[in-house]
Amino acid sequence: MTTLLWIIAMILVLGTLAYLRVSLLTTTIAAAVVMTAGWALDIVGPISWIVFLVIALPFNISAFRQNMISRPLMKVYRGIMPEMSTTEKEAIEAGTTWWEADLFAGNPNWKKLHNYPVARLSADEQAFLDGPVEEVCRMVNQHQVSHQLADLPADVWQYLKDHGFFAMIIKKKFGGLEYSAYAQSRVLQKLAGLSSELASTVGVPNSLGPGELLQHYGTPEQQNHYLPRLAKGLEVPCFALTSPEAGSDAGSIPDFGIVCKGQWEGEEILGMKLTWNKRYITLAPVATVLGLAFKLRDPDHLLGDKEELGITCALIPTDMDGVETGRRHFPLNCMFQNGPTHGNEVFVPLSFIIGGPKMAGQGWRMLVECLSVGRGITLPSNSAGGVKTAALATGAYARIRRQFKLPIGKLEGIEEPMARIGGNAYLMDAVTTLTTTGIDLGEKPSVISAIVKYHLTDRMQRCVIDAMDIHGGKGVCLGPNNYLGRGYQAAPIAITVEGANILTRSMIIYGQGAIRCHPYVLAEMESAFDTQSGQGLANFDAAIFGHIGFATSNFVRSFWLGVTSSRFSNAPYSDKTKRYYQQMNRFSANLALLSDLAMATLGGNLKRKERISARLGDLLSQLYLASATLKRYEDEGRQTDDLPLVQWAVEDALYKLQASLDDLLDNFPAGLGGVLRVVMFPFGRPLKRPSDVLDHKVAKIMQTPCESRDRLGKGQFWTNSEHNAVGIQEQTLLDIIASEPLHDKVCKASGKRLPFMWLDKVAAEGKALGVLSDTEVQLLERAEIGRMKSINVDDFDPAELRPEMVSTTAQERAA
């Protein structure tokens, strides 16, 4: 019995130390203390001590460990893990890691999360949202844009240029606005809630494009020439990366340039002949300056010994001979300017390379660094803005529209999709806020950018489908009063662009995340193939043994958190959010353990096992989405009225995480899934999807004017103006709610139950009965007009459905 207790004590001590992640030396000393206790109890004998010392001493003597253990392991490692290519290294090294690395490490520091600064707008940024952004939203008639002009009107184009909408990222010294990433996100959210064309037109120049590349890499001459002109709207920029042969696989672009001598302004100079064929380029039809990505070659060695210089970025004025632009694509009836651009052996000086000749071949790194920032702002913000507007518009419609003598929002079948829209609107706003906070802190979060691009565009598409289901014919029939149909058509565009979602989920999120976020893998890879510094073996030894301890700790943590359902793990609060933090501790440890086991069993083949990689990426992604939601709840003062939104969002994210984890265990390599299931789910899957009761609470918030509803739709365009069907409907919601007691008053006075329709007739009867004042009569009459406008759909003379033939070109309208 004593021996059994001693064995249990040893296991508990070692397990606790592994859980706490103490050093190897401390663990060895603690084990020696337990061994000594066993010696005193006559349990441990000389042979046990000899075995202990034979194991312990080699691991704690670094020189011996490096030569006898780490050196052979390094040889094995090189055989399993292929050396990274230059392109892979540039992609991995381009970005930075931030909060996602804590989630990946198996032991999140929640205090660190909540200590990140609260995102706030400056006075100038708020004034811009309240002034120019509000005004340009008033100016846009979305039906005119999408059906009549196939473009933004000329006065809207000019307003955008005059008020710096294309200059949000440009520094003030060049005449730009120099807004924070958070402010850019809020602007795009507001625009996207009204018009995807408007949001796309503003978003592209402020993300991946000449402006950002110039500020980071441009020569002083390039910056001083282009940036003030871009800020004033004298130049319209676009960036051409994608071609018919290279979409998501941007590294394989076939477009090329040849270093050669040629004539320029009457003189022979050293330059390049560029040939390109690009597709899907936003603003290309109206752009005056083209950012171009191509592969530069130097066959005559005019620049040096290297013949294949690599991907290069240059600025090309579109009015040059040989540059072909102006034609348009027609992306799912979404009328933002998008089209092809061509060039065949267009000769330009080397000074057209962004950053000058010294940056020849550096384009891939430039693109990856800037793309990680742009992807973290533009598409996620557009998605969040669209869903926020859809959430409140759907809530209003569901309260106004009646069937079976009830507002349809009270029907349980409607509550379910409504809750998905509302919960996602809260989550998506939280995610964009946390992500832009990181960018404003100076991070270049390539992994986070991939997460938010994929998951927010995916959730947006699903929410738009839910909104269409609820609206029925109101969503299907296009016209000035339809605020959903064009967004529904355009949703797949966001899914496709800036890295197709299938590729982003299957390869990018975890492909970069596993290497960048893991505390040891990148160090192992770099040191294993380091033959130059003389420190390769020492660095590999430190990394590999740190990795072993890390994996051991995550195994222990996964087992303990599974057995205890994580109830004893740390959480920063003891309120209703406590269990969420604890469950995320558990899943974070699971992710870390599964990552190590997947890499150990598959090695370099892991990147080809895309479904394994995708599910591992899902775990990291859902942890990030849930943590962003909890961060928002904290930053907004832990408003208990918002708890249903918080609970729905977190429970949905964690349930999706659990489903991906379950699928991963079913398909885990080397037959380890069954064993790991016992470790991670000893009592079965712990989580359920959001309950019907929670769905009801979220749906109720969406239909009821209150502070929680205001926070849900904060910053969107709700003004009751001529062309804003959503703003008009918001006023109708208030009128309908105010009309309900008046309707009841008339029913009581008349002694009959009148249907809640023809409110103008109800008003007349109430006035005749003397139970309604003139003000109340006017309210009912106004409510009826709004009610009919909300539930009716547009109809047209057949001739109106033929798109108007506009004589001016797209370029002339934009000029």
Side-chain angles (χ1 to χ4, degrees):
M1 185 66 180
T2 304
T3 301
L4 178 61
L5 292 174
W6 180 84
I7 293 172
I8 293 173
M10 176 64 86
I11 293 172
L12 288 175
V13 168
L14 294 179
T16 301
L17 294 175
Y19 184 93
L20 297 174
R21 298 184 175 176
V22 302
S23 68
L24 175 62
L25 179 60
T26 302
T27 301
T28 304
I29 293 171
V33 170
V34 178
M35 290 288 291
T36 302
W39 176 272
L41 294 170
D42 201 26
I43 297 170
V44 175
I47 295 177
S48 299
W49 271 110
I50 292 170
V51 172
F52 173 75
L53 293 173
V54 166
I55 296 174
L57 290 178
F59 282 96
N60 284 278
I61 300 173
S62 59
F64 182 89
R65 185 181 67 211
Q66 287 178 24
N67 287 290
M68 301 304 294
I69 301 174
S70 295
R71 190 181 298 277
L73 284 176
M74 187 161 68
K75 292 180 181 178
V76 174
Y77 188 92
R78 286 173 177 168
I80 296 174
M81 298 293 289
E83 187 173 8
M84 283 191 293
S85 67
T86 301
T87 301
E88 288 175 319
K89 286 180 181 178
E90 289 178 347
I92 291 296
E93 294 171 359
T96 61
T97 57
W98 189 51
W99 171 242
E100 76 277 24
D102 286 68
L103 296 171
F104 198 98
N107 187 22
N109 182 344
W110 301 116
K111 184 177 180 181
K112 178 179 177 180
L113 172 68
H114 291 311
N115 281 342
Y116 290 134
V118 178
R120 299 190 190 283
L121 296 171
S122 69
D124 286 346
E125 291 166 344
Q126 187 63 61
F128 186 73
L129 275 162
D130 295 339
V133 179
E134 181 79 9
E135 181 58 28
V136 81
C137 287
R138 287 176 184 268
M139 293 170 67
V140 171
N141 176 343
Q142 181 59 28
H143 181 67
Q144 180 193 49
V145 169
S146 61
H147 184 70
Q148 296 170 344
L149 297 181
D151 192 8
L152 296 173
D155 61 332
V156 172
W157 273 102
Q158 194 59 49
Y159 191 89
L160 295 174
K161 295 175 182 179
D162 292 344
H163 290 81
F165 278 82
F166 298 156
M168 290 191 290
I169 64 168
I170 296 176
K171 296 184 185 300
K172 291 181 179 179
K173 68 178 181 179
F174 297 113
L177 299 177
E178 200 173 345
Y179 284 168
S180 65
Y182 176 65
Q184 294 173 50
S185 175
R186 306 313 288 190
V187 170
L188 293 175
Q189 286 189 35
K190 189 166 186 173
L191 299 180
L194 174 71
S195 166
S196 61
E197 289 87 353
L198 187 58
S200 298
T201 300
V202 172
V204 168
N206 290 290
S207 58
L208 177 63
E212 185 168 3
L213 292 172
L214 278 169
Q215 292 197 126
H216 284 87
Y217 308 105
T219 65
E221 294 78 12
Q222 290 170 339
Q223 291 176 340
N224 291 330
H225 174 75
Y226 278 112
L227 290 175
R229 293 178 62 79
L230 289 168
K232 293 176 183 177
L234 300 176
E235 302 278 7
V236 176
C238 71
F239 193 85
L241 172 61
T242 312
S243 66
E245 295 85 0
S248 296
D249 183 14
S252 66
I253 55 176
D255 314 284
F256 64 92
I258 303 294
V259 178
C260 61
K261 292 183 179 180
Q263 292 293 315
W264 183 259
E265 296 181 347
E267 296 182 11
E268 186 178 72
I269 64 167
L270 188 61
M272 354 174 237
K273 280 187 177 178
L274 304 177
T275 298
W276 71 90
N277 177 26
K278 302 287 190 179
R279 289 288 188 274
Y280 324 119
I281 310 305
T282 299
L283 295 186
V286 296
T288 61
V289 59
L290 168 69
L292 183 68
F294 55 94
K295 288 182 177 177
L296 185 60
R297 303 167 187 163
D298 185 13
D300 297 328
H301 302 287
L302 298 174
L303 295 180
D305 297 333
K306 200 172 180 182
E307 185 169 327
E308 297 290 338
L309 299 178
I311 295 177
T312 301
C313 297
L315 291 177
I316 313 297
T318 59
D319 60 359
M320 286 183 58
D321 290 341
V323 179
E324 299 178 34
T325 59
R327 293 186 65 81
R328 294 181 64 177
H329 299 312
F330 191 25
L332 292 174
N333 284 327
C334 190
M335 299 301 178
F336 65 98
Q337 291 287 342
N338 184 276
T341 173
H342 310 270
N344 184 39
E345 295 190 347
V346 178
F347 182 79
V348 299
L350 289 174
S351 61
F352 279 26
I353 295 173
I354 297 176
K358 68 178 181 179
M359 295 302 290
Q362 300 299 310
W364 180 242
R365 184 180 185 90
M366 295 162 62
L367 292 173
V368 172
E369 286 187 347
C370 291
L371 184 64
S372 70
V373 174
R375 293 174 89 209
I377 301 174
T378 308
L379 284 171
S381 299
N382 289 355
S383 298
V387 173
K388 285 168 63 177
T389 294
L392 266 62
T394 302
Y397 178 79
R399 187 70 175 79
I400 295 166
R401 175 69 164 157
R402 293 187 173 225
Q403 294 284 272
F404 310 109
K405 300 180 180 180
L406 283 173
I408 64 170
K410 293 189 176 183
L411 303 173
E412 288 194 356
I414 299 293
E415 285 183 342
E416 182 179 2
M418 282 187 69
R420 289 196 292 264
I421 301 169
N424 275 299
Y426 187 91
L427 177 144
M428 293 167 72
D429 200 1
V431 171
T432 57
T433 299
L434 180 60
T435 303
T436 53
T437 295
I439 293 171
D440 285 329
L441 290 173
E443 302 292 340
K444 295 179 179 179
S446 56
V447 178
I448 287 177
S449 294
I451 289 172
V452 298
K453 187 276 172 182
Y454 165 63
H455 285 279
L456 267 60
T457 58
D458 179 71
R459 286 172 178 253
M460 173 273 296
Q461 185 181 42
R462 296 171 190 273
C463 286
V464 171
I465 292 171
D466 279 333
M468 289 288 287
D469 285 350
I470 293 168
H471 282 75
K474 172 74 173 179
V476 169
C477 294
L478 294 174
N481 290 311
N482 186 325
Y483 43 78
L484 281 179
R486 291 299 189 186
Y488 172 78
Q489 288 180 310
I493 300 172
I495 299 295
T496 301
V497 300
E498 290 197 23
N501 273 9
I502 291 175
L503 175 137
T504 302
R505 176 176 179 256
S506 300
M507 295 177 63
I508 296 178
I509 294 175
Y510 190 75
Q512 289 189 326
I515 297 175
R516 289 309 314 269
C517 297
H518 197 289
Y520 299 105
V521 166
L522 184 58
E524 288 169 355
M525 296 178 72
E526 291 176 337
S527 59
F529 295 97
D530 179 8
T531 58
Q532 303 295 325
S533 70
Q535 293 296 311
L537 179 60
N539 292 338
F540 182 81
D541 173 78
I544 197 69
F545 276 92
H547 195 158
I548 292 170
F550 178 73
T552 303
S553 172
N554 287 314
F555 177 83
V556 172
R557 291 180 64 82
S558 291
F559 177 75
W560 175 249
L561 295 172
V563 168
T564 62
S565 192
S566 65
R567 291 188 177 276
F568 302 108
S569 65
N570 67 300
Y573 296 98
S574 297
D575 58 9
K576 291 184 178 180
T577 65
K578 178 180 179 178
R579 288 295 293 146
Y580 301 145
Y581 290 103
Q582 292 177 327
Q583 288 157 352
M584 292 168 70
N585 291 336
R586 174 182 185 172
F587 288 130
S588 177
N590 294 166
L591 168 62
L593 175 61
L594 290 166
S595 294
D596 282 332
L597 291 175
M599 286 186 279
T601 54
L602 293 172
N605 289 323
L606 178 56
K607 63 182 178 182
R608 285 181 286 275
K609 293 290 185 179
E610 294 181 5
R611 299 183 76 173
I612 298 293
S613 178
R615 290 162 183 146
L616 287 165
D618 289 344
L619 307 191
L620 178 60
S621 299
Q622 300 297 348
L623 284 171
Y624 182 74
L625 303 185
S627 62
T629 303
L630 293 170
K631 166 69 170 165
R632 174 182 180 175
Y633 183 56
E634 167 74 7
D635 289 351
E636 293 183 348
R638 307 187 75 76
Q639 303 287 338
T640 55
D641 288 345
D642 295 353
L643 260 177
L645 296 166
V646 178
Q647 291 172 303
W648 195 98
V650 176
E651 289 178 20
D652 177 70
L654 295 184
Y655 183 80
K656 286 182 168 67
L657 184 157
Q658 179 180 258
S660 289
L661 176 52
D662 193 40
D663 288 342
L664 177 60
L665 294 177
D666 283 341
N667 295 277
F668 206 80
L672 292 174
V675 176
L676 291 170
R677 188 178 295 280
V678 173
V679 172
M680 297 176 182
F681 293 149
F683 306 113
R685 298 193 301 176
L687 303 182
K688 298 179 180 179
R689 66 174 74 249
S691 68
D692 295 353
V693 172
L694 200 51
D695 283 356
H696 170 75
K697 291 179 179 179
V698 172
K700 185 176 181 180
I701 289 173
M702 293 168 66
Q703 300 173 75
T704 309
C706 61
E707 291 184 0
S708 289
R709 188 176 187 272
D710 291 343
R711 283 188 288 271
L712 188 63
K714 182 180 179 181
Q716 298 307 105
F717 181 55
W718 304 117
T719 304
N720 182 1
S721 60
E722 180 183 2
H723 303 305
N724 187 16
V726 170
I728 294 170
Q729 185 170 262
E730 278 293 294
Q731 181 59 54
T732 299
L733 172 66
L734 299 177
D735 289 345
I736 287 294
I737 291 174
S739 295
E740 287 175 347
L742 303 181
H743 176 267
D744 291 341
K745 185 189 294 187
V746 175
C747 290
K748 184 177 180 180
S750 66
K752 53 188 175 183
R753 189 64 190 173
L754 302 172
F756 197 85
M757 58 178 67
W758 306 310
L759 297 180
D760 52 341
K761 296 180 180 180
V762 173
E765 185 165 350
K767 184 174 183 179
L769 291 170
V771 296
L772 294 181
S773 67
D774 289 343
T775 300
E776 291 171 330
V777 168
Q778 292 170 6
L779 171 61
L780 282 169
E781 290 173 343
R782 186 174 72 242
E784 178 62 13
I785 294 171
R787 188 183 74 87
M788 294 306 297
K789 191 175 184 66
S790 180
I791 66 176
N792 267 335
V793 299
D794 298 292
D795 52 74
F796 304 89
D797 183 283
E800 293 182 83
L801 296 180
R802 292 194 293 270
E804 181 180 345
M805 298 299 294
V806 184
S807 60
T808 56
T809 65
Q811 291 94 327
E812 289 171 334
R813 288 199 301 276

